[in-house]
Amino acid sequence: MAKMYMVPDGSKQHPKKLSGPVPVRKLIASNKKARHDYAIEDVFEAGMVLSGTEVKALRAGRASLVDGYCALDGGEVWLEGAHISEYAHGTWTNHAPRRKRKLLLHRHEIETLEQHTREKGYTIVPLQMYFLDGRAKVEIALARGKKEYDKRQTLREQQDNREAQRAMRAREIR
């Protein structure tokens, strides 16, 4: 007879069901400038509708999110301005590098995004593009633009934290 183990919610489970396979996440592209220019409020993971040559180009790591943004149109979310290079071995069926790409989100997530983007100052920006268990995903964020003085203050805080960490490490060594 197999032993049963208690799970945090109080129920009993078979030991093999406690640990599952860890999802593999392979980063393709990230938008580092977005975290500098925007204050991130909420983050969502979305699937993308892609053509075959786009997937092959992504597997080669040929993407950029620097000029990317998301737009709402007819109850759907679209990724615009993101650059996925043409597939090197593609033929006449190759894709356009900067075409609009539909994002796949749950209805309640789209409604949340729609509600917040009606308010002044909010926008939707892509943060990362990656493969999760073989499926192309994009991490988008509901963000509010930072003012110039906010950016300087953030940089100052990061620098102060680094100096504090260095001081603590130097004290531990002695």
Side-chain angles (χ1 to χ4, degrees), residues 22-41:
V22 177
V24 178
R25 184 172 170 167
K26 182 188 170 214
L27 186 66
I28 301 165
S30 66
N31 189 357
K32 294 178 185 174
K33 195 172 182 183
R35 293 199 186 270
H36 175 72
D37 291 341
Y38 299 97
I40 307 300
E41 302 280 325

Side-chain angles (χ1 to χ4, degrees), residues 36-37 146-155:
H36 175 72
D37 291 341
K146 283 186 184 177
K147 303 280 190 243
E148 194 63 37
Y149 58 84
D150 289 334
K151 295 177 191 178
R152 283 193 297 265
Q153 184 176 353
T154 303
L155 290 173

Side-chain angles (χ1 to χ4, degrees), residues 28 56 61 71 158:
I28 301 165
K56 290 181 178 189
Q158 289 173 350

